[in-house]
Amino acid sequence: MLRQPFTRQENTVIQTCVVASSGIAFSGGFGSYLFGMSEVVAKQSTEANDAQNIKNPTLGWMIGFLFVVSFLGLFSVVPLRKIMVIDFKLIYPSGTATAHLINSFHTPHGAKLAKKQVSALGKFFSFSFFWGFFQWFFTAGDGCGFGNFPTFGLKAYDNRFYFDFSATYVGVGMICPYLINISLLIGAILSWGIMWPLIDAKKGSWYPAELSSSSLHGLQGYRVFIAIAMILGDGLYNFFKVLGHTLFGLYHQLQNKDSGSVLSVSDRSSPVIPPSLSYDDQRRAQLFLKDQIPTWFAIAGYVTIAIISAATLPHIFPQLKWYYIVVIYITAPTLAFCNAYGCGLTDWSLASTYGKLAIFTIGAWAGASHGGVLAGLAACGVMMNIVSTASDLMQDFKTGYMTLASPRSMFVSQVIGTAMGCIISPCVFWLFYKAFKDLGSPGSEYPAPYALVYRNMSILGVEGFSSLPKHCLTLCYAFFAAAIFINGIRDLVGKKRANFIPLPMAMAIPFYLGAYFAIDMCVGSLILFVWQKTNRAKADAFGPAVASGLICGDGIWTLPSSILALAGVNPPICMKFLSSGMNAKVDDFLAS
């Protein structure tokens, strides 16, 4: 319908806005720290579930919180964009890949292929949406529907080994590398197939037999804290690995470049462009540096928002004192730079690791008697939002550099997208929170495992190891060390052989959640593997589109299903699976 052609620069600016908006769904903590503050998650642990350590989600404070913390990261790294992209020539793999994708679309062949990909996405979107609609009819009660199909038998189902017919997880499995999906399955077999049945047999010896299944003093404690130990071990290893890369890279750059040109972040009208650049890169650098974002503007913006945030946040979270926030904002620019630089080298954002660091430091500083659990979770949110948006912005600057887009336009687009995300993400979460009464409960459709993990990290930081069940700390030490050891082995053997060694972070996720989603994702991997064997070119071209259609269709179905739940419209049928013995008892009961 447009008279003017749609340009790659417009495409870049639009995707920047979309990435910024959707990024808030992650850094906003709706499945982790923010939901971990709620009463639903607090009830799953017996410690620190008093009123001062609980804050239930409401739309008002969630939107206000995100608005005062989400923009700081944007201002923290703006003055360093020339250093990162032009002087240090950081790769930013995801940003570079996005740029190549955009550039390929804006060619005659690319436009034709893009139309076919959109058509494939639309077909599988429709299939996934109607499959979700069809499944809804059979979910009238708890444990009903295709999502509870005991694929491998009832005993395996009790240990969470089953295929739950989720189009979303099958699609995610098609997108994720084979190694991640296999790592998830190995973690599920190790935990739910071997460890938990063995520890369950110690009931009455290692922990009291009368404890509820959700008590952290029982089997649930082993599931949660061993998973946390592996996640922390993996995160700590990668933190020091990326930090080492960052420091070595900085040292190397400063040794080999004139420091005057490296640190040129002033507002000169004609910045120096290194003469060693190729013609294409000189042209890119010229356009990248033409639209200057003044350094004084970035510094003033950061300080102003920091002051507003430090004054506002204690009213939202009285447990989070203003001086805690000031300390975070003093250290945050350094950590944001480290994360943005490390992301440029490795494509690995450690936002959640920096958030966990804030959980332990601020939580321990506040103390158990002063709402330390809630203070730690809120501090995690502040830190995660800063370092996450900083690395996202630098990825987008790299995309803009490669597609000849204006940095000023991209910064404005990032601000607009972030503001949209601060409103859209809480509203979508609020819809889920109100529509699904079992949201966040183990075994429900949306168990939100990381919410409990983050809350228990905060409890651990405040109360120490006294709350752990017998031998749990020893097992935590063992798995913490194993995560570091496995990562070390992966780095030592080289990239080719590392593809056959599982990832500890991925292995840890099913420890709490179960094997069902790992099985779904492995089915997705199997579909892609067979497709690549039969027609690799077509699989590479259309695989991501098919996977995206499966994910989006199933995801969009949750919107009408949420509206139906809010309107009190219930599914008409409950499809449940019983053992033959239980079925006989039900028949006898109904006959009597």
Coordinates of all heavy atoms in Angstrom, one line a residue, residues 59-143:
L59 N -1.4 -3.9 38.8 CA -1.0 -3.2 37.5 C -0.3 -1.9 37.8 O 0.7 -1.6 37.1 CB -2.3 -3.0 36.7 CG -2.1 -3.0 35.2 CD1 -1.3 -4.2 34.7 CD2 -3.5 -3.0 34.5
G60 N -0.8 -1.1 38.8 CA -0.3 0.2 39.0 C 1.2 0.2 39.4 O 2.0 0.9 38.8
W61 N 1.6 -0.6 40.4 CA 3.0 -0.5 40.9 C 3.9 -1.2 39.9 O 5.1 -0.8 39.8 CB 3.1 -1.0 42.3 CG 3.1 -2.5 42.5 CD1 2.0 -3.2 43.1 CD2 4.1 -3.5 42.3 NE1 2.3 -4.6 43.2 CE2 3.6 -4.8 42.7 CE3 5.4 -3.4 41.8 CZ2 4.4 -5.9 42.6 CZ3 6.1 -4.6 41.6 CH2 5.6 -5.8 42.1
M62 N 3.4 -2.2 39.2 CA 4.3 -2.9 38.2 C 4.7 -1.9 37.1 O 5.9 -1.8 36.7 CB 3.6 -4.1 37.6 CG 3.5 -5.3 38.5 SD 3.0 -6.8 37.7 CE 1.4 -6.5 37.2
I63 N 3.7 -1.2 36.5 CA 4.0 -0.2 35.5 C 4.9 0.9 36.0 O 5.9 1.3 35.3 CB 2.7 0.4 34.9 CG1 1.9 -0.7 34.1 CG2 3.0 1.5 34.0 CD1 0.5 -0.3 33.7
G64 N 4.6 1.4 37.2 CA 5.4 2.5 37.8 C 6.9 2.0 38.0 O 7.8 2.7 37.7
F65 N 7.0 0.8 38.5 CA 8.4 0.2 38.8 C 9.2 0.2 37.5 O 10.3 0.6 37.4 CB 8.2 -1.1 39.4 CG 9.5 -1.9 39.5 CD1 10.5 -1.6 40.4 CD2 9.7 -3.0 38.7 CE1 11.7 -2.3 40.5 CE2 10.9 -3.8 38.8 CZ 11.9 -3.4 39.7
L66 N 8.5 -0.4 36.4 CA 9.3 -0.6 35.2 C 9.6 0.8 34.6 O 10.7 0.9 34.0 CB 8.4 -1.4 34.2 CG 8.3 -2.9 34.6 CD1 7.3 -3.6 33.6 CD2 9.6 -3.6 34.6
F67 N 8.8 1.8 34.7 CA 9.1 3.1 34.1 C 10.3 3.8 34.8 O 11.0 4.5 34.1 CB 7.8 4.0 34.1 CG 7.0 4.0 32.9 CD1 5.8 3.4 32.8 CD2 7.5 4.7 31.7 CE1 5.1 3.4 31.6 CE2 6.8 4.6 30.5 CZ 5.6 4.0 30.5
V68 N 10.4 3.5 36.1 CA 11.5 4.2 36.8 C 12.9 3.5 36.7 O 13.9 4.0 37.1 CB 11.2 4.6 38.2 CG1 10.1 5.6 38.3 CG2 10.9 3.3 39.0
V69 N 12.8 2.2 36.3 CA 14.1 1.4 36.2 C 14.6 1.0 34.8 O 15.7 0.6 34.6 CB 14.1 0.2 37.1 CG1 13.8 0.5 38.6 CG2 13.0 -0.8 36.6
S70 N 13.7 1.1 33.8 CA 14.0 0.5 32.5 C 14.8 1.4 31.6 O 15.3 0.9 30.6 CB 12.7 0.0 31.8 OG 12.0 -1.0 32.6
F71 N 14.8 2.7 31.9 CA 15.5 3.6 30.9 C 16.9 3.9 31.3 O 17.7 4.4 30.4 CB 14.7 4.9 30.8 CG 13.3 4.7 30.2 CD1 12.2 4.5 31.0 CD2 13.1 4.8 28.9 CE1 11.0 4.4 30.5 CE2 11.9 4.6 28.3 CZ 10.8 4.4 29.1
L72 N 17.3 3.5 32.5 CA 18.7 3.9 32.9 C 19.8 3.2 32.1 O 20.8 3.8 31.8 CB 18.9 3.5 34.4 CG 18.3 4.5 35.4 CD1 17.8 3.8 36.6 CD2 19.3 5.5 35.7
G73 N 19.5 1.9 31.7 CA 20.5 1.2 30.9 C 20.7 1.8 29.6 O 21.9 1.7 29.0
L74 N 19.7 2.4 29.0 CA 19.9 3.1 27.7 C 20.9 4.2 27.8 O 21.7 4.4 26.8 CB 18.5 3.6 27.2 CG 17.4 2.6 27.1 CD1 16.1 3.2 26.5 CD2 17.8 1.4 26.2
F75 N 20.8 5.0 28.8 CA 21.7 6.2 29.0 C 23.1 5.8 29.4 O 24.0 6.5 29.2 CB 21.1 7.2 29.9 CG 19.8 7.9 29.4 CD1 18.6 7.4 29.8 CD2 19.9 9.0 28.6 CE1 17.4 8.0 29.3 CE2 18.8 9.6 28.1 CZ 17.6 9.1 28.5
S76 N 23.2 4.6 30.0 CA 24.5 4.2 30.7 C 25.6 3.9 29.6 O 26.8 4.1 29.9 CB 24.3 3.1 31.6 OG 23.9 1.9 30.9
V77 N 25.2 3.4 28.4 CA 26.3 3.0 27.5 C 26.2 3.8 26.2 O 27.1 3.6 25.3 CB 26.1 1.5 27.1 CG1 26.5 0.6 28.3 CG2 24.8 1.2 26.6
V78 N 25.3 4.8 26.1 CA 25.3 5.6 24.8 C 26.6 6.3 24.5 O 27.1 6.3 23.4 CB 24.1 6.7 24.9 CG1 24.3 7.8 23.9 CG2 22.8 6.0 24.7
P79 N 27.3 6.9 25.5 CA 28.6 7.6 25.2 C 29.7 6.6 24.7 O 30.6 7.1 24.1 CB 29.0 8.2 26.6 CG 27.8 8.2 27.4 CD 27.0 7.1 27.0
L80 N 29.5 5.3 24.9 CA 30.5 4.4 24.5 C 30.2 3.6 23.2 O 30.9 2.7 22.8 CB 30.7 3.3 25.6 CG 31.0 3.9 27.0 CD1 30.9 2.7 28.0 CD2 32.3 4.5 27.0
R81 N 29.2 4.1 22.4 CA 28.8 3.4 21.2 C 30.0 3.3 20.2 O 30.2 2.3 19.5 CB 27.5 3.9 20.7 CG 27.7 5.3 20.0 CD 26.3 5.9 19.8 NE 26.5 7.2 19.1 CZ 26.9 8.3 19.7 NH1 27.2 8.3 21.0 NH2 27.0 9.5 19.0
K82 N 30.7 4.5 20.0 CA 31.8 4.5 19.1 C 32.9 3.5 19.5 O 33.5 2.8 18.6 CB 32.3 5.9 18.9 CG 33.5 6.0 17.9 CD 34.0 7.4 17.8 CE 35.2 7.4 16.8 NZ 36.4 6.8 17.3
I83 N 33.2 3.5 20.8 CA 34.3 2.6 21.2 C 33.9 1.2 21.0 O 34.8 0.4 20.5 CB 34.5 2.9 22.8 CG1 35.0 4.3 23.0 CG2 35.5 1.9 23.3 CD1 35.1 4.6 24.5
M84 N 32.7 0.8 21.3 CA 32.3 -0.6 21.2 C 32.2 -1.1 19.8 O 32.7 -2.1 19.4 CB 30.9 -0.8 21.9 CG 30.9 -0.4 23.3 SD 31.6 -1.7 24.4 CE 30.7 -1.5 25.8
V85 N 31.6 -0.3 18.9 CA 31.3 -0.7 17.5 C 32.4 -0.4 16.5 O 32.7 -1.3 15.7 CB 29.9 0.0 17.1 CG1 29.6 -0.4 15.6 CG2 28.8 -0.5 18.0
I86 N 33.0 0.7 16.6 CA 34.0 1.1 15.6 C 35.4 0.9 16.1 O 36.2 0.2 15.4 CB 33.8 2.6 15.2 CG1 32.5 2.8 14.5 CG2 34.9 3.0 14.2 CD1 32.1 4.2 14.2
D87 N 35.8 1.4 17.3 CA 37.1 1.2 17.7 C 37.5 -0.2 18.1 O 38.5 -0.7 17.7 CB 37.4 2.2 18.9 CG 37.3 3.6 18.5 OD1 37.7 3.9 17.4 OD2 36.8 4.4 19.4
F88 N 36.6 -0.8 18.9 CA 36.9 -2.2 19.4 C 36.4 -3.2 18.3 O 36.8 -4.4 18.4 CB 36.3 -2.5 20.7 CG 36.9 -1.8 21.9 CD1 36.4 -1.8 23.1 CD2 38.1 -1.1 21.7 CE1 36.9 -1.2 24.2 CE2 38.7 -0.4 22.8 CZ 38.1 -0.5 24.0
K89 N 35.6 -2.8 17.4 CA 35.1 -3.7 16.3 C 34.5 -5.0 17.0 O 34.7 -6.1 16.5 CB 36.2 -4.1 15.3 CG 36.8 -3.0 14.6 CD 37.8 -3.5 13.5 CE 38.4 -2.3 12.8 NZ 39.4 -1.6 13.6
L90 N 33.7 -4.8 18.0 CA 33.1 -5.9 18.7 C 32.0 -6.6 17.7 O 31.3 -5.9 17.0 CB 32.4 -5.5 20.0 CG 33.3 -5.1 21.1 CD1 32.6 -4.6 22.3 CD2 34.3 -6.2 21.5
I91 N 31.9 -7.9 17.8 CA 31.1 -8.6 16.8 C 29.6 -8.4 17.0 O 28.9 -8.2 16.1 CB 31.4 -10.2 16.8 CG1 32.9 -10.4 16.6 CG2 30.6 -10.9 15.8 CD1 33.4 -10.1 15.2
Y92 N 29.2 -8.6 18.3 CA 27.7 -8.6 18.6 C 27.0 -9.6 17.7 O 26.3 -9.1 16.8 CB 27.1 -7.2 18.6 CG 27.5 -6.3 19.7 CD1 28.5 -5.3 19.5 CD2 27.0 -6.5 21.0 CE1 29.0 -4.6 20.6 CE2 27.4 -5.7 22.0 CZ 28.4 -4.8 21.8 OH 28.8 -4.0 22.9
P93 N 27.3 -10.9 17.8 CA 26.8 -11.9 16.8 C 25.3 -11.8 16.5 O 24.9 -11.8 15.3 CB 27.1 -13.2 17.5 CG 28.3 -12.9 18.4 CD 28.0 -11.5 18.9
S94 N 24.4 -11.6 17.5 CA 23.0 -11.5 17.3 C 22.6 -10.3 16.5 O 21.8 -10.3 15.5 CB 22.2 -11.5 18.6 OG 22.2 -12.8 19.2
G95 N 23.2 -9.1 16.8 CA 23.0 -7.9 16.1 C 23.5 -8.0 14.7 O 22.8 -7.5 13.7
T96 N 24.7 -8.6 14.5 CA 25.2 -8.8 13.1 C 24.3 -9.7 12.3 O 24.1 -9.4 11.1 CB 26.7 -9.3 13.2 OG1 27.5 -8.4 14.0 CG2 27.3 -9.5 11.8
A97 N 23.9 -10.8 12.9 CA 23.0 -11.7 12.2 C 21.7 -11.1 11.8 O 21.2 -11.3 10.7 CB 22.7 -13.0 13.1
T98 N 21.1 -10.3 12.7 CA 19.9 -9.5 12.4 C 20.1 -8.6 11.2 O 19.3 -8.5 10.3 CB 19.4 -8.7 13.6 OG1 19.2 -9.6 14.7 CG2 18.1 -8.0 13.3
A99 N 21.3 -7.9 11.2 CA 21.6 -7.0 10.1 C 21.7 -7.7 8.8 O 21.2 -7.2 7.8 CB 22.9 -6.2 10.4
H100 N 22.4 -8.8 8.8 CA 22.5 -9.6 7.5 C 21.2 -10.1 7.1 O 20.9 -10.1 5.8 CB 23.5 -10.8 7.8 CG 24.9 -10.5 7.8 ND1 25.5 -9.7 6.9 CD2 25.9 -10.8 8.8 CE1 26.8 -9.5 7.2 NE2 27.0 -10.2 8.3
L101 N 20.3 -10.5 8.0 CA 19.0 -10.9 7.6 C 18.2 -9.8 7.0 O 17.5 -9.9 6.0 CB 18.2 -11.4 8.9 CG 16.9 -12.1 8.7 CD1 17.1 -13.4 7.9 CD2 16.2 -12.4 10.0
I102 N 18.2 -8.6 7.6 CA 17.5 -7.4 7.1 C 18.1 -7.0 5.7 O 17.4 -6.8 4.7 CB 17.7 -6.2 8.0 CG1 16.8 -6.5 9.3 CG2 17.2 -4.9 7.4 CD1 17.0 -5.5 10.4
N103 N 19.4 -7.0 5.6 CA 20.1 -6.7 4.3 C 19.6 -7.7 3.2 O 19.4 -7.3 2.1 CB 21.6 -6.7 4.4 CG 22.1 -5.4 5.2 OD1 21.4 -4.4 5.2 ND2 23.2 -5.5 5.8
S104 N 19.5 -9.0 3.6 CA 19.2 -10.0 2.6 C 17.7 -9.9 2.2 O 17.4 -10.2 1.0 CB 19.4 -11.4 3.2 OG 18.4 -11.7 4.2
F105 N 16.8 -9.4 3.1 CA 15.4 -9.2 2.7 C 15.3 -8.1 1.6 O 14.4 -8.2 0.8 CB 14.6 -8.8 3.9 CG 14.2 -9.9 4.8 CD1 13.9 -9.6 6.1 CD2 14.3 -11.2 4.4 CE1 13.5 -10.7 7.0 CE2 13.9 -12.2 5.3 CZ 13.6 -12.0 6.6
H106 N 16.1 -7.1 1.7 CA 16.0 -6.0 0.8 C 16.8 -6.2 -0.5 O 17.6 -5.3 -0.9 CB 16.4 -4.7 1.5 CG 15.4 -4.3 2.6 ND1 14.3 -3.6 2.4 CD2 15.4 -4.7 3.9 CE1 13.6 -3.5 3.6 NE2 14.3 -4.2 4.5
T107 N 16.6 -7.3 -1.1 CA 17.1 -7.7 -2.4 C 15.9 -8.4 -3.2 O 15.0 -8.9 -2.5 CB 18.3 -8.6 -2.4 OG1 17.9 -9.9 -1.8 CG2 19.4 -8.0 -1.6
P108 N 15.9 -8.4 -4.5 CA 14.8 -9.1 -5.2 C 14.6 -10.6 -4.7 O 13.5 -11.0 -4.5 CB 15.2 -9.0 -6.7 CG 16.1 -7.8 -6.7 CD 16.8 -7.8 -5.4
H109 N 15.7 -11.3 -4.6 CA 15.6 -12.7 -4.2 C 15.1 -12.8 -2.8 O 14.3 -13.6 -2.4 CB 16.9 -13.4 -4.4 CG 16.9 -14.8 -3.9 ND1 16.3 -15.9 -4.5 CD2 17.5 -15.4 -2.7 CE1 16.4 -17.0 -3.8 NE2 17.2 -16.7 -2.7
G110 N 15.7 -11.9 -1.9 CA 15.4 -12.0 -0.5 C 13.9 -11.6 -0.3 O 13.2 -12.3 0.6
A111 N 13.3 -10.7 -1.0 CA 11.9 -10.3 -0.9 C 11.0 -11.5 -1.2 O 10.0 -11.7 -0.6 CB 11.6 -9.1 -1.8
K112 N 11.4 -12.2 -2.3 CA 10.6 -13.4 -2.7 C 10.6 -14.5 -1.7 O 9.6 -15.1 -1.4 CB 11.2 -13.9 -4.1 CG 10.2 -14.9 -4.8 CD 10.8 -15.4 -6.1 CE 10.8 -14.3 -7.1 NZ 11.3 -14.8 -8.5
L113 N 11.8 -14.7 -1.1 CA 11.9 -15.8 -0.1 C 11.2 -15.4 1.2 O 10.5 -16.2 1.8 CB 13.4 -16.0 0.2 CG 13.7 -17.0 1.4 CD1 13.2 -18.4 1.0 CD2 15.2 -17.1 1.7
A114 N 11.3 -14.1 1.5 CA 10.6 -13.6 2.7 C 9.1 -13.8 2.6 O 8.4 -14.1 3.6 CB 10.9 -12.1 2.9
K115 N 8.5 -13.6 1.4 CA 7.1 -13.8 1.2 C 6.7 -15.3 1.5 O 5.7 -15.6 2.1 CB 6.7 -13.4 -0.2 CG 6.6 -11.9 -0.4 CD 6.1 -11.5 -1.8 CE 6.0 -10.0 -2.0 NZ 5.6 -9.6 -3.3
K116 N 7.5 -16.2 1.0 CA 7.3 -17.6 1.2 C 7.4 -18.0 2.6 O 6.6 -18.8 3.2 CB 8.3 -18.4 0.3 CG 8.1 -18.4 -1.2 CD 9.1 -19.2 -1.9 CE 8.9 -19.1 -3.4 NZ 9.9 -19.9 -4.2
Q117 N 8.4 -17.4 3.3 CA 8.6 -17.6 4.8 C 7.4 -17.2 5.6 O 6.9 -17.8 6.5 CB 9.9 -17.0 5.3 CG 11.1 -17.7 4.8 CD 12.4 -16.9 5.1 OE1 12.4 -15.7 5.2 NE2 13.5 -17.6 5.3
V118 N 6.9 -16.0 5.2 CA 5.7 -15.4 5.9 C 4.5 -16.3 5.7 O 3.7 -16.6 6.6 CB 5.4 -14.0 5.5 CG1 4.1 -13.5 6.0 CG2 6.5 -13.1 6.0
S119 N 4.4 -16.9 4.4 CA 3.3 -17.8 4.1 C 3.3 -19.0 5.0 O 2.3 -19.5 5.5 CB 3.3 -18.1 2.6 OG 2.4 -19.1 2.3
A120 N 4.6 -19.6 5.1 CA 4.8 -20.8 5.9 C 4.4 -20.5 7.4 O 3.8 -21.3 8.1 CB 6.2 -21.3 5.8
L121 N 4.9 -19.4 7.9 CA 4.6 -19.0 9.2 C 3.1 -18.9 9.5 O 2.6 -19.4 10.5 CB 5.3 -17.6 9.5 CG 5.2 -17.1 11.0 CD1 6.5 -16.3 11.3 CD2 4.0 -16.3 11.3
G122 N 2.4 -18.3 8.5 CA 0.9 -18.1 8.6 C 0.2 -19.5 8.7 O -0.7 -19.7 9.5
K123 N 0.6 -20.4 7.9 CA 0.0 -21.8 7.9 C 0.2 -22.5 9.2 O -0.8 -23.0 9.8 CB 0.6 -22.6 6.8 CG 0.2 -22.2 5.3 CD 1.0 -23.0 4.3 CE 0.7 -22.5 2.9 NZ 1.5 -23.2 1.9
F124 N 1.4 -22.5 9.7 CA 1.6 -23.2 11.0 C 1.1 -22.4 12.2 O 0.8 -23.0 13.2 CB 3.1 -23.5 11.1 CG 3.5 -24.7 10.3 CD1 3.9 -24.6 9.0 CD2 3.4 -26.0 10.8 CE1 4.2 -25.7 8.2 CE2 3.7 -27.1 10.1 CZ 4.1 -26.9 8.7
F125 N 1.0 -21.1 12.0 CA 0.3 -20.3 13.1 C -1.1 -20.7 13.2 O -1.6 -20.9 14.3 CB 0.4 -18.8 12.7 CG -0.4 -17.9 13.6 CD1 0.3 -17.3 14.7 CD2 -1.7 -17.6 13.4 CE1 -0.5 -16.4 15.5 CE2 -2.4 -16.7 14.2 CZ -1.8 -16.2 15.3
S126 N -1.8 -20.8 12.1 CA -3.2 -21.2 12.1 C -3.4 -22.6 12.7 O -4.3 -22.9 13.5 CB -3.8 -21.2 10.6 OG -3.6 -19.9 10.1
F127 N -2.5 -23.6 12.2 CA -2.5 -24.9 12.8 C -2.4 -24.9 14.3 O -3.2 -25.6 15.0 CB -1.5 -25.8 12.1 CG -1.2 -27.1 12.8 CD1 -2.1 -28.2 12.7 CD2 -0.1 -27.2 13.7 CE1 -1.9 -29.4 13.4 CE2 0.1 -28.4 14.3 CZ -0.8 -29.5 14.2
S128 N -1.4 -24.2 14.8 CA -1.1 -24.2 16.2 C -2.2 -23.6 17.0 O -2.6 -24.0 18.1 CB 0.2 -23.4 16.4 OG 0.5 -23.4 17.8
F129 N -2.8 -22.5 16.5 CA -3.9 -21.8 17.1 C -5.1 -22.7 17.3 O -5.7 -22.9 18.3 CB -4.3 -20.5 16.3 CG -5.4 -19.7 17.0 CD1 -5.1 -18.8 17.9 CD2 -6.7 -19.9 16.6 CE1 -6.1 -18.0 18.5 CE2 -7.7 -19.2 17.2 CZ -7.5 -18.3 18.1
F130 N -5.5 -23.4 16.2 CA -6.7 -24.3 16.2 C -6.4 -25.5 17.0 O -7.3 -26.1 17.5 CB -7.1 -24.5 14.8 CG -7.8 -23.4 14.1 CD1 -7.2 -22.7 13.1 CD2 -9.1 -23.0 14.6 CE1 -7.9 -21.6 12.6 CE2 -9.7 -21.9 14.1 CZ -9.1 -21.2 13.0
W131 N -5.1 -26.0 17.0 CA -4.8 -27.1 17.9 C -5.0 -26.8 19.4 O -5.5 -27.6 20.1 CB -3.4 -27.6 17.6 CG -2.9 -28.6 18.5 CD1 -1.8 -28.6 19.3 CD2 -3.4 -30.0 18.7 NE1 -1.6 -29.7 20.0 CE2 -2.6 -30.6 19.7 CE3 -4.5 -30.6 18.2 CZ2 -2.9 -31.9 20.1 CZ3 -4.7 -31.9 18.6 CH2 -3.9 -32.6 19.5
G132 N -4.6 -25.6 19.7 CA -4.8 -25.1 21.1 C -6.3 -25.0 21.4 O -6.7 -25.4 22.5
F133 N -7.0 -24.5 20.5 CA -8.5 -24.4 20.6 C -9.1 -25.7 20.8 O -10.0 -26.0 21.7 CB -9.1 -23.7 19.4 CG -10.6 -23.5 19.4 CD1 -11.2 -23.0 20.5 CD2 -11.3 -23.7 18.2 CE1 -12.6 -22.9 20.6 CE2 -12.7 -23.5 18.3 CZ -13.3 -23.1 19.4
F134 N -8.7 -26.7 20.0 CA -9.2 -28.1 20.1 C -8.9 -28.7 21.4 O -9.8 -29.3 22.0 CB -8.6 -28.9 18.9 CG -9.0 -30.4 19.0 CD1 -10.3 -30.8 18.6 CD2 -8.1 -31.3 19.4 CE1 -10.6 -32.1 18.7 CE2 -8.4 -32.7 19.4 CZ -9.7 -33.1 19.1
Q135 N -7.7 -28.5 21.9 CA -7.3 -29.1 23.2 C -8.1 -28.5 24.3 O -8.4 -29.2 25.3 CB -5.8 -28.8 23.5 CG -4.9 -29.6 22.6 CD -3.4 -29.5 23.1 OE1 -3.0 -30.1 24.0 NE2 -2.7 -28.6 22.5
W136 N -8.5 -27.2 24.2 CA -9.2 -26.6 25.3 C -10.5 -27.3 25.7 O -10.9 -27.3 26.8 CB -9.5 -25.1 24.8 CG -10.4 -24.3 25.8 CD1 -9.9 -23.7 26.9 CD2 -11.8 -24.1 25.7 NE1 -11.0 -23.1 27.6 CE2 -12.1 -23.3 26.8 CE3 -12.8 -24.5 24.8 CZ2 -13.5 -22.9 27.1 CZ3 -14.1 -24.1 25.0 CH2 -14.4 -23.3 26.1
F137 N -11.2 -27.9 24.7 CA -12.5 -28.6 24.9 C -12.4 -29.7 25.9 O -13.4 -30.1 26.5 CB -13.0 -29.1 23.6 CG -13.7 -28.0 22.7 CD1 -12.9 -27.5 21.7 CD2 -15.0 -27.6 23.0 CE1 -13.5 -26.5 20.9 CE2 -15.5 -26.6 22.2 CZ -14.8 -26.1 21.1
F138 N -11.2 -30.2 26.1 CA -11.0 -31.4 27.0 C -10.4 -31.1 28.3 O -9.9 -32.0 29.0 CB -10.1 -32.5 26.2 CG -10.7 -32.9 24.9 CD1 -10.3 -32.2 23.7 CD2 -11.6 -33.9 24.8 CE1 -10.9 -32.6 22.5 CE2 -12.2 -34.3 23.6 CZ -11.8 -33.6 22.4
T139 N -10.3 -29.8 28.7 CA -9.6 -29.4 30.0 C -10.6 -28.9 31.0 O -10.3 -27.9 31.6 CB -8.5 -28.4 29.6 OG1 -9.2 -27.3 29.0 CG2 -7.5 -29.0 28.7
A140 N -11.7 -29.6 31.3 CA -12.7 -29.1 32.2 C -12.3 -29.1 33.7 O -12.9 -28.4 34.5 CB -14.0 -29.8 32.0
G141 N -11.3 -29.9 34.0 CA -10.9 -30.0 35.4 C -9.4 -30.2 35.5 O -8.6 -30.2 34.6
D142 N -8.9 -30.3 36.8 CA -7.4 -30.5 37.0 C -7.0 -31.8 36.5 O -7.7 -32.8 36.7 CB -7.2 -30.4 38.6 CG -7.4 -29.0 39.1 OD1 -7.3 -28.1 38.3 OD2 -7.7 -28.9 40.3
G143 N -5.8 -31.8 35.8 CA -5.3 -33.1 35.3 C -6.0 -33.6 34.1 O -5.9 -34.8 33.8

